Amino acid sequence: MLCNLFNNVNVSNKMFILKDAKLCEVLNEENTDLESFTKDLQEKTKETVEKFKGKKVIIKAFSFQPNLNGYKVIAKERKEDLKVGFEKLKGLCDLKVVVSKEDKELITSLKEFSDVTTVKRIEELNGKKLASKIFSSNDNVLIIDIVDVIRIGQVSKGQIAESFITVYGRAVEGNKVLALKKEATYREIFETINGNVDSLAKVVDGGSLNGKQVYNLDNKITSETRSILFLSTEDLPSNESYSCINCSKCLRVCPEGLNPIKLYDLYKRNEKEEFIKFGGDKCIDCGLCSYVCPSNIEIAQAIKTAKTFQ
């Protein structure tokens, strides 16, 4: 269903798909000390390894959001780190590698290190259901990203753990994956990849469906940043929204079976108890309801805000 959804939508800034990109090493560690960004990655990587002992682990190499799928490029360019990471993990836990059925090249690449299970991209949206499908139970199951395996390999080799960021948008020389080894601001990244400040209209950190807008380019990115959209006015859809036309598309696409437009309405009316009664706290912030809305209503953002102020 999700694949058809992607194919049928023409809103440009919601569709950034990485094709034939190369991994570019920028802002590396040369002539710098290990700053907080790098230390954070190193410590999180070590903590991750400790959590794995005796556990069932799903290593995820796919995302339902197109602009977060830089896995093929990253796995190819960091093959040796990946190999070391897998060797480290295999002695600690029962691991399964999970890839989208569509990523044929990535499937072949990862089969060098482990057996690979293929799934539909939309199955990323519910970790418990994914765990039950892979291990027949969601008890004692951890889900990590293939990038974490690469970092484990790098730390095991005594190297600096990297952060990998996909970059898109007409305001920069985008559609590429960046490897960072030091702390950086959005502005530094923007300038490093020849950003055009005159055409920059909006910056989004995260997935194109549910990322967060960045208002200050001098803010530092975090070790959790996986994608940045530097959008020009050409990338942006219309900001004009309309009244709900009761098409029920948001209901049909919600992976949790919620009624998103109802939750949106309850939020607008400040009916907190009813919001919880209708399952607002169960929303997983996937952003699909806003994505399919023909009236351009910011349903997902409203629900996210409502959960924050419950």
Side-chain angles (χ1 to χ4, degrees):
M1 177 177 67
L2 193 61
C3 294
N4 290 333
L5 183 66
F6 285 158
N7 292 334
N8 292 335
V9 175
N10 294 317
V11 178
S12 59
N13 82 314
K14 295 183 179 179
M15 286 300 301
F16 291 88
I17 301 176
L18 198 69
K19 293 181 179 179
D20 303 321
K22 293 183 179 180
L23 188 142
C24 305
E25 297 186 47
V26 299
L27 303 173
N28 61 33
E29 79 279 19
E30 293 180 7
N31 302 320
T32 66
D33 295 324
L34 291 182
E35 301 177 63
S36 59
F37 173 79
T38 304
K39 290 178 181 177
D40 186 35
L41 280 180
Q42 303 289 100
E43 291 304 315
K44 284 184 178 180
T45 301
K46 292 176 181 177
E47 290 174 7
T48 300
V49 173
E50 288 300 314
K51 292 178 182 178
F52 287 163
K53 294 179 179 178
K55 297 286 182 66
K56 298 174 183 176
V57 177
I58 292 175
I59 299 174
K60 181 180 70 65
F62 71 102
S63 174
F64 79 102
Q65 301 197 65
N67 70 308
L68 298 183
N69 272 311
Y71 296 109
K72 181 177 72 173
V73 176
I74 297 169
K76 179 181 178 181
E77 298 292 335
R78 292 294 182 265
K79 185 175 180 179
E80 290 304 312
D81 296 333
L82 200 55
K83 179 180 178 181
V84 174
F86 270 110
E87 290 173 350
K88 179 79 172 179
L89 290 178
K90 284 182 177 178
L92 294 175
C93 59
D94 179 9
L95 61 86
K96 304 287 185 183
V97 180
V98 184
V99 183
S100 167
K101 293 179 178 180
E102 299 176 358
D103 294 329
K104 305 296 184 184
E105 189 175 335
L106 183 59
I107 293 169
T108 301
S109 175
L110 294 179
K111 279 184 176 179
E112 292 185 37
F113 311 110
S114 176
D115 292 335
V116 174
T117 301
T118 59
V119 296
K120 297 177 181 178
R121 286 182 181 175
I122 199 167
E123 293 185 78
E124 182 199 27
L125 295 175
N126 190 307
K128 290 184 178 180
K129 290 181 181 178
L130 179 61
S132 296
K133 178 170 184 174
I134 303 302
F135 284 109
S136 300
S137 169
N138 58 44
D139 295 331
N140 207 31
V141 177
L142 296 177
I143 300 177
I144 65 168
D145 199 279
I146 195 72
V147 168
D148 293 312
V149 182
I150 293 173
R151 290 172 179 165
I152 290 168
Q154 291 173 334
V155 171
S156 298
K157 293 161 63 179
Q159 299 175 354
I160 293 176
E162 296 176 304
S163 181
F164 301 96
I165 300 175
T166 56
V167 178
Y168 299 77
R170 289 185 174 90
V172 293
E173 292 180 1
N175 203 33
K176 61 182 64 174
V177 181
L178 308 183
L180 277 67
K181 296 182 180 179
K182 62 163 285 188
E183 194 172 61
T185 64
Y186 295 99
R187 187 179 303 281
E188 285 181 291
I189 295 175
F190 180 69
E191 292 175 348
T192 300
I193 53 177
N194 301 317
N196 183 345
V197 69
D198 293 329
S199 66
L200 183 63
K202 186 175 183 180
V203 180
V204 177
D205 183 318
S208 50
L209 274 68
N210 61 3
K212 297 180 180 179
Q213 185 168 354
V214 176
Y215 295 96
N216 186 351
L217 288 180
D218 292 316
N219 286 345
K220 294 177 180 178
I221 66 169
T222 72
S223 59
E224 302 300 317
T225 297
R226 291 178 52 202
S227 177
I228 304 175
L229 304 175
F230 292 105
L231 307 176
S232 71
T233 52
E234 296 177 75
D235 295 317
L236 297 175
S238 169
N239 288 322
E240 189 173 0
S241 61
Y242 306 92
S243 299
C244 174
I245 60 173
N246 298 315
C247 66
S248 299
K249 286 186 177 181
C250 60
L251 280 76
R252 293 197 296 270
V253 79
C254 179
E256 293 299 302
L258 304 177
N259 186 335
I261 195 64
K262 175 69 174 180
L263 294 173
Y264 172 87
D265 186 49
L266 292 172
Y267 161 68
K268 289 294 185 181
R269 300 206 307 259
N270 199 30
E271 296 186 17
K272 297 181 180 179
E273 292 185 5
E274 288 296 299
F275 179 87
I276 296 173
K277 178 181 176 181
F278 278 87
D281 56 335
K282 297 178 182 178
C283 170
I284 61 175
D285 300 329
C286 66
L288 288 173
C289 50
S290 292
Y291 183 80
V292 300
C293 180
S295 295
N296 204 28
I297 301 172
E298 290 291 347
I299 307 172
Q301 187 58 48
I303 295 175
K304 185 181 293 187
T305 302
K307 291 195 298 177
T308 302
F309 293 100
Q310 279 182 22

